Amino acid sequence: MNNVQLWIVGSIGIDAIETPGEKRADLLGGSVTYACAAASFFTPVGAVGVVGSDFPAAFLERYRRFGIDLAGLQTRPGETFRWSGVYEADFINRRTLDTRLGVFGDFSPELPETFRDAPFVLLGNISPSLQLHVLDQARGQPFVVVDTMDLWIRIARPELVQVIRRANLLTLNDSEARLLTGHHNLLACARAVLEMGPQFVVIKKGEHGAMLCSKQGFALIPAFPVEQVVDPTGAGDCFAGAFMGYLAQTRVRRIDEPLLRRALLHGSVVASFGVEAFSTERLEKLERSEINSRVDALRSMSALE
Amino acid sequence: MNNVQLWIVGSIGIDAIETPGEKRADLLGGSVTYACAAASFFTPVGAVGVVGSDFPAAFLERYRRFGIDLAGLQTRPGETFRWSGVYEADFINRRTLDTRLGVFGDFSPELPETFRDAPFVLLGNISPSLQLHVLDQARGQPFVVVDTMDLWIRIARPELVQVIRRANLLTLNDSEARLLTGHHNLLACARAVLEMGPQFVVIKKGEHGAMLCSKQGFALIPAFPVEQVVDPTGAGDCFAGAFMGYLAQTRVRRIDEPLLRRALLHGSVVASFGVEAFSTERLEKLERSEINSRVDALRSMSALE
């Protein structure tokens, strides 16, 4: 059995989503799902998550077709986490209609032996105490990326601050950055995050791209302009999964800014494909050559001189 | 007397502005003011506008220090156009408190003889019928850029469509693009605008930069991340004025996409300085070398590979 280069912990869910264009139920979702699918284009990746006894075998088959290592997937008696939400006309703002935690409510992530030495770790959006619990099972000095959300900033700030202190890179969106730091200006937000410990922070701005900040400086990562957004769910997870997969693929242990820029560009591109269909449906048809073409296109769109 | 390379028509006003940080009255404002000041770093520029008899001589002196040609400036008995507004905490959304048209209500722009052969024309934000009226006085085949606002899209669409048909390039912000075309997706908006006549459209996204679109393709123009926004008023006018000034400076008559990208990058940078103070106060202290440094910095922040 091969050891994975990257493992990703987070939620696995069955989603019901309504967009201005369409209404779909029983969709494979969750941060682990999107992030692992996106990472799988670049590197062997392992999923750490929990599903209920109702989780369809067909969904497991979809993970396997991405080549995702499921050694860290627990199946527990009970219902899989379910989320339903509706997007406004802008395809950005969304309202949660219903959340049923199911087996996710008692999730205690366990890291398989074959994951423990992986050099790259993505702590996807779950409670900071679970992020800490699973990170404590890793060995060596992995490059740790932490994602989070407004809920944890509000209700679990002390634990979140502990996770952030152990992160090499924190990724969060603009409104979360403002909520976490109390600043409005994103440069001020970024500086405040760097003070908390990480070497790098990536502030995601959705269709406007992302900003990479370190003590050395700033980089602007464009988003690929998508013609037809079908479902934006999981875009941030695809972004993080793909850039981590790209980093892991390079096998470079010294992560610097130029390498991160390239990795984030690939994350941006994979996310742009992800939103072109519900769930991981677009990623299932995606070819590595399509990623490369869009990376080239985005580079040429953004070329200044 | 030298002929100008670029003339700009639009509003001249005296503003009272309240931001989350500060409250200021009796500020020199208006689209012509910002755009001409920004253009003046690159090329001889002429202003076409109207002021009332109350317009302070000190403001005229500020125009002259920018080297702005005032042959197209009318002084009429009555009050100068006045606008007052208040910005929300995000420094983006704003509410108009009061508008007093004054002499601007009867404005009928006249193009001085020395402006008529200028190869570059910026029709700043005034009513489309005035834009047409003044454009009809130009000779030759100038490169015409049209700016507009939501008001004209709502109340003067037929005239606006006529102006747009005669534009080489239309510039408008994202919400205006959506209002004008009825599309939400900005690529779809851009295509719809190109169908209306212009070769190019620039969709401005404020702090998120701008998108240049033509039938040949797309370019993403980043915004320089500003540490401390003091007053965003006039940012779009600075952007348009500076990129037109840059184009005029090159003396190239065949405007293509690579040249436009460079011009827009300079527009983006000058706008980033403009918002660092009220009115044109930052531009008054601005050196061309500071523009060049920030252009280099923005290029390196946006470099992909």
Side-chain angles (χ1 to χ4, degrees):
Chain A
M1 189 184 246
N2 286 328
N3 287 1
V4 299
Q5 290 298 306
L6 163 66
W7 57 264
I8 300 175
V9 67
S11 61
I12 296 175
I14 300 176
D15 295 344
I17 294 170
E18 190 175 342
T19 71
E22 208 176 339
K23 193 171 171 171
R24 293 278 300 272
D26 297 320
L27 294 164
L28 175 58
S31 57
V32 162
T33 302
Y34 285 106
C36 284
S40 73
F41 290 93
F42 305 97
T43 198
V45 58
V48 179
V50 64
V51 298
S53 41
D54 60 345
F55 196 69
F59 285 1
L60 292 174
E61 186 49 36
R62 285 165 68 183
Y63 285 138
R64 285 196 195 96
R65 281 204 297 269
F66 281 114
I68 299 168
D69 187 325
L70 297 178
L73 184 71
Q74 305 167 18
T75 306
R76 292 275 176 267
E79 267 205 332
T80 302
F81 173 59
R82 284 180 181 262
W83 175 78
S84 62
V86 53
Y87 284 89
E88 291 177 17
D90 60 8
F91 277 91
I92 294 169
N93 291 306
R94 72 182 186 191
R95 196 157 38 88
T96 291
L97 297 177
D98 192 26
T99 302
R100 301 214 304 270
L101 287 181
V103 296
F104 192 57
D106 302 310
F107 182 37
S108 175
E110 295 305 319
L111 210 53
E113 181 56 33
T114 50
F115 289 16
R116 290 182 190 236
D117 295 304
F120 292 91
V121 170
L122 172 54
L123 302 177
N125 175 24
I126 49 170
S127 86
S129 52
L130 291 186
Q131 290 177 323
L132 284 171
H133 170 76
V134 65
L135 184 58
D136 283 337
Q137 302 167 47
R139 286 187 295 247
Q141 295 284 330
F143 187 81
V144 177
V145 170
V146 171
D147 197 4
T148 192
M149 72 181 290
D150 53 353
L151 176 70
W152 311 120
I153 300 171
R154 286 184 212 281
I155 72 169
R157 184 181 284 262
E159 296 84 350
L160 181 60
V161 167
Q162 280 187 59
V163 184
I164 293 173
R165 193 177 300 141
R166 293 177 60 182
N168 296 86
L169 185 155
L170 176 68
T171 167
L172 72 186
N173 70 32
D174 42 8
S175 65
E176 292 159 358
R178 289 174 175 132
L179 182 65
L180 177 64
T181 64
H183 294 285
H184 181 78
N185 183 282
L186 293 182
L187 295 184
C189 292
R191 282 214 188 81
V193 170
L194 295 175
E195 288 296 311
M196 297 169 78
Q199 299 155 255
F200 302 103
V201 54
V202 172
I203 300 181
K204 297 174 284 185
K205 304 191 293 174
E207 58 166 334
H208 304 301
M211 208 169 77
L212 165 68
C213 309
S214 69
K215 292 227 162 74
Q216 284 72 53
F218 301 96
L220 301 172
I221 312 298
F224 186 88
V226 175
E227 200 83 15
Q228 189 92 45
V229 175
V230 171
D231 174 19
T233 310
D237 302 307
C238 286
F239 175 72
F243 91 69
M244 282 299 271
Y246 186 92
L247 287 180
Q249 174 195 41
T250 64
R251 305 268 171 151
V252 174
R253 292 304 302 266
R254 163 120 185 71
I255 309 295
D256 58 12
E257 212 202 79
L259 175 60
L260 268 177
R261 287 186 192 213
R262 283 198 297 282
L264 292 166
L265 181 65
H266 283 77
S268 186
V269 160
V270 173
S272 78
F273 283 112
V275 302
E276 290 180 350
F278 281 94
S279 182
T280 54
E281 292 168 7
R282 180 68 182 90
L283 299 184
E284 277 154 39
K285 291 184 296 193
L286 186 62
E287 303 283 342
R288 181 62 200 258
S289 61
E290 292 178 283
I291 297 174
N292 294 344
S293 304
R294 205 171 264 192
V295 164
D296 289 344
L298 191 48
R299 276 204 178 104
S300 98
M301 278 181 205
S302 309
L304 299 171
E305 202 74 337
Chain B
M1 188 185 249
N2 286 328
N3 287 1
V4 298
Q5 289 298 307
L6 162 67
W7 56 264
I8 300 176
V9 67
S11 61
I12 297 174
I14 300 176
D15 296 343
I17 293 170
E18 190 176 341
T19 72
E22 207 175 341
K23 193 171 173 169
R24 292 276 300 271
D26 297 320
L27 294 164
L28 174 58
S31 57
V32 161
T33 302
Y34 285 105
C36 284
S40 74
F41 290 92
F42 305 97
T43 198
V45 58
V48 180
V50 64
V51 299
S53 41
D54 60 343
F55 196 71
F59 286 179
L60 293 174
E61 185 49 34
R62 284 166 67 182
Y63 284 138
R64 285 194 198 96
R65 280 205 298 268
F66 280 115
I68 299 168
D69 187 326
L70 297 177
L73 184 71
Q74 305 168 18
T75 307
R76 291 277 176 270
E79 266 204 333
T80 302
F81 173 59
R82 283 178 183 263
W83 176 79
S84 63
V86 53
Y87 284 90
E88 292 177 17
D90 60 7
F91 277 92
I92 295 169
N93 291 306
R94 71 183 188 191
R95 199 157 37 88
T96 290
L97 297 177
D98 193 26
T99 303
R100 299 213 307 268
L101 286 180
V103 296
F104 192 56
D106 303 311
F107 182 36
S108 176
E110 295 305 318
L111 210 54
E113 182 56 33
T114 50
F115 290 15
R116 290 180 192 240
D117 296 304
F120 293 91
V121 171
L122 172 55
L123 303 177
N125 176 24
I126 49 170
S127 86
S129 52
L130 291 185
Q131 289 177 322
L132 284 170
H133 170 77
V134 65
L135 184 57
D136 282 338
Q137 301 168 49
R139 286 188 295 249
Q141 296 284 329
F143 186 83
V144 177
V145 170
V146 171
D147 197 4
T148 191
M149 72 182 291
D150 53 352
L151 176 71
W152 312 119
I153 299 171
R154 286 183 212 282
I155 72 169
R157 185 181 284 262
E159 297 85 349
L160 180 61
V161 168
Q162 281 185 61
V163 184
I164 292 173
R165 195 177 299 142
R166 293 175 62 181
N168 296 86
L169 185 154
L170 176 67
T171 167
L172 72 186
N173 70 32
D174 42 8
S175 64
E176 292 159 358
R178 289 176 175 130
L179 183 66
L180 177 65
T181 65
H183 294 286
H184 181 78
N185 183 282
L186 293 181
L187 295 184
C189 292
R191 281 213 190 82
V193 170
L194 295 175
E195 288 296 310
M196 297 169 77
Q199 300 154 254
F200 301 103
V201 55
V202 172
I203 299 181
K204 297 174 284 184
K205 305 190 293 174
E207 58 166 334
H208 304 301
M211 207 167 77
L212 165 68
C213 308
S214 70
K215 293 226 163 71
Q216 284 72 54
F218 302 95
L220 302 171
I221 312 298
F224 187 88
V226 175
E227 201 83 18
Q228 190 92 43
V229 175
V230 170
D231 174 20
T233 310
D237 301 308
C238 286
F239 175 72
F243 91 69
M244 283 299 272
Y246 185 92
L247 287 180
Q249 173 195 41
T250 64
R251 305 267 171 152
V252 173
R253 292 303 303 265
R254 162 119 185 73
I255 309 294
D256 58 12
E257 212 203 80
L259 175 60
L260 268 177
R261 286 187 192 212
R262 281 197 298 282
L264 292 166
L265 181 64
H266 284 77
S268 186
V269 160
V270 174
S272 77
F273 284 111
V275 301
E276 291 181 347
F278 282 94
S279 183
T280 55
E281 291 168 8
R282 178 69 182 87
L283 299 184
E284 277 155 39
K285 292 184 295 193
L286 186 63
E287 303 284 341
R288 180 63 201 258
S289 61
E290 292 178 284
I291 298 175
N292 294 345
S293 304
R294 205 172 265 193
V295 164
D296 290 343
L298 191 48
R299 276 203 179 104
S300 98
M301 276 180 207
S302 310
L304 299 171
E305 202 73 337

